Amino acid sequence: MRKSASIAVLAVASALLLTACSGGGDSKAKSTPKSTSSAAAVSGCDVKSGSASDSVTVTGDQKSAPKITFKKGISAKSEQRSVLITGSGEKAQEGSAVTIAFTAYNGTSGDPISDPVGYDTSQDPYLAQLGPNSSLPLFNEAIECLQAGSRVAYVAPAATAFGGESNLSQTGLTKSDSVVMVADVLKVVPQPAISKADGAAQQPAANFPTVKLAGDGTPTITLPKTQSLGKTTTDLEVLKKGTGATVKDGDVVTAHYIGMDWTTGKVFDSSWSRGKPSPFLTDQVVSGFTKALVGHTVGSQIEAVIPPAEGYGSQGNSQAGIGATDTLVFVVDILGTTAAR
């Protein structure tokens, strides 16, 4: 249910994320490029500094976009990273969700390939998932094993940074180009203390789809014969009411969820099927899913019936099999929430 991003780096990252979160895009989502990332085999902890990454100079504090200087034509045969500031916060490890601020460039031409992301408090940071399922190697290899508060300069061949030549078409880069990125580790998202919603059961409205839970919390959704919900706006029902922290707008929320298309009756996405909850920035998901998160408490289970206008929009999502007029049903377990910075 993530929205897609417009700038080159995030456009590729968002597209790759759809392979693990097919409920994630909005109506602007593009087809998913094939990733040839070797993230499972290469750990960011093993990426060393080199003459290229050491030559990148950065000035400015970590509260605003830094001034970055490097020689046009900079290149490296393999990934390099130089730690410019060593933070003192929690260490980003394989499997961590991490919020970062960054700026990226075409090292060959010196031109930016992204606007600065996440430095101004009016901007959202980028939420990266580290490890074998990392959206892009450049985030995984630049950030893993650094502590929150760290700043790093990363240089790599473009195809290496973006997980294969097939992903370069959306960036304007070629296989002969290099990538330069400066990133600041803002926060390592805490692991949730619970694995499923543990709040007090509530009595749902009779016209909502019914939900039956397996022992591990996995929901099975049964649709009523007639649809009376989600016609023009998102309808919500609290199935379990938790007593934990309240989700705020802009938070990073860790949640288990399942999404069903009311029109087809088919499940199109499920974190339970992947065996691991997913982290989300509340203002970087489709608006109907935001409503299922913000204002609710950790430990709660929310059922959301989302019309197209607050989901994928008029174009639907062909990859997920969702049509332009399809209403979606989500069941969401809110497992943890934290500020993004």
Side-chain angles (χ1 to χ4, degrees):
M1 65 295 305
R2 289 179 174 88
K3 295 179 180 178
S4 35
S6 57
I7 58 178
V9 175
L10 297 187
V12 178
S14 294
L16 289 174
L17 279 167
L18 292 177
T19 61
C21 183
S22 62
D26 61 5
S27 59
K28 299 178 183 179
K30 300 180 180 180
S31 59
T32 304
K34 181 179 180 182
S35 173
T36 55
S37 168
S38 59
V42 178
S43 167
C45 306
D46 299 327
V47 178
K48 307 298 184 183
S49 62
S51 58
S53 61
D54 285 344
S55 71
V56 178
T57 60
V58 183
T59 56
D61 61 32
Q62 294 174 289
K63 296 181 180 180
S64 58
K67 181 180 179 181
I68 300 167
T69 306
F70 58 89
K71 186 176 180 180
K72 186 168 69 174
I74 188 174
S75 64
K77 292 183 178 180
S78 59
E79 294 171 304
Q80 298 179 11
R81 72 175 190 184
S82 297
V83 179
L84 308 178
I85 298 173
T86 300
S88 58
E90 185 176 350
K91 181 182 289 188
Q93 303 181 58
E94 182 176 315
S96 295
V98 184
T99 57
I100 63 174
F102 74 92
T103 307
Y105 297 85
N106 181 331
T108 304
S109 68
D111 297 329
I113 56 174
S114 85
D115 300 323
V117 174
Y119 285 102
D120 191 309
T121 54
S122 66
Q123 300 175 338
D124 287 330
Y126 182 71
L127 179 61
Q129 184 79 49
L130 306 186
N133 294 322
S134 176
S135 55
L136 286 176
L138 85 164
F139 294 126
N140 196 68
E141 270 64 279
I143 299 302
E144 192 173 353
C145 282
L146 299 185
Q147 291 175 274
S150 296
R151 169 173 285 177
V152 64
Y154 168 90
V155 181
T160 301
F162 282 92
E165 293 179 19
S166 61
N167 296 331
L168 296 181
S169 61
Q170 295 186 50
T171 68
L173 299 168
T174 70
K175 63 181 181 180
S176 62
D177 288 327
S178 61
V179 170
V180 176
M181 180 175 71
V182 172
D184 287 279
V185 184
L186 302 178
K187 191 166 192 175
V188 178
V189 178
Q191 291 295 315
I194 56 175
S195 60
K196 59 183 178 181
D198 60 359
Q202 307 295 297
Q203 182 62 44
N207 58 340
F208 268 75
T210 59
V211 177
K212 184 177 181 180
L213 303 179
D216 65 352
T218 303
T220 298
I221 302 171
T222 301
L223 300 172
K225 292 181 179 180
T226 58
Q227 180 184 335
S228 60
L229 300 167
K231 297 293 187 179
T232 59
T233 189
T234 297
D235 288 300
L236 298 176
E237 191 74 6
V238 178
L239 304 182
K240 293 184 178 182
K241 187 172 181 59
T243 58
T246 299
V247 177
K248 298 177 182 177
D249 191 26
D251 276 4
V252 180
V253 176
T254 303
H256 257 317
Y257 68 94
I258 188 169
M260 174 180 282
D261 187 321
W262 193 313
T263 302
T264 65
K266 294 181 179 179
V267 172
F268 60 87
D269 195 14
S270 172
S271 65
W272 273 285
S273 68
R274 295 190 293 274
K276 185 176 182 179
S278 296
F280 301 99
L281 277 161
T282 60
D283 48 8
Q284 290 186 2
V285 293
V286 296
S287 60
F289 201 81
T290 297
K291 290 181 178 180
L293 300 174
V294 175
H296 299 287
T297 51
V298 172
S300 295
Q301 183 176 78
I302 309 298
E303 184 173 18
V305 181
I306 304 175
E310 295 187 343
Y312 283 94
S314 60
Q315 296 183 22
N317 186 313
S318 58
Q319 180 186 349
I322 297 169
T325 60
D326 292 358
T327 295
L328 309 180
V329 181
F330 280 96
V331 176
V332 184
D333 280 15
I334 302 174
L335 308 180
T337 190
T338 187
R341 300 176 186 276

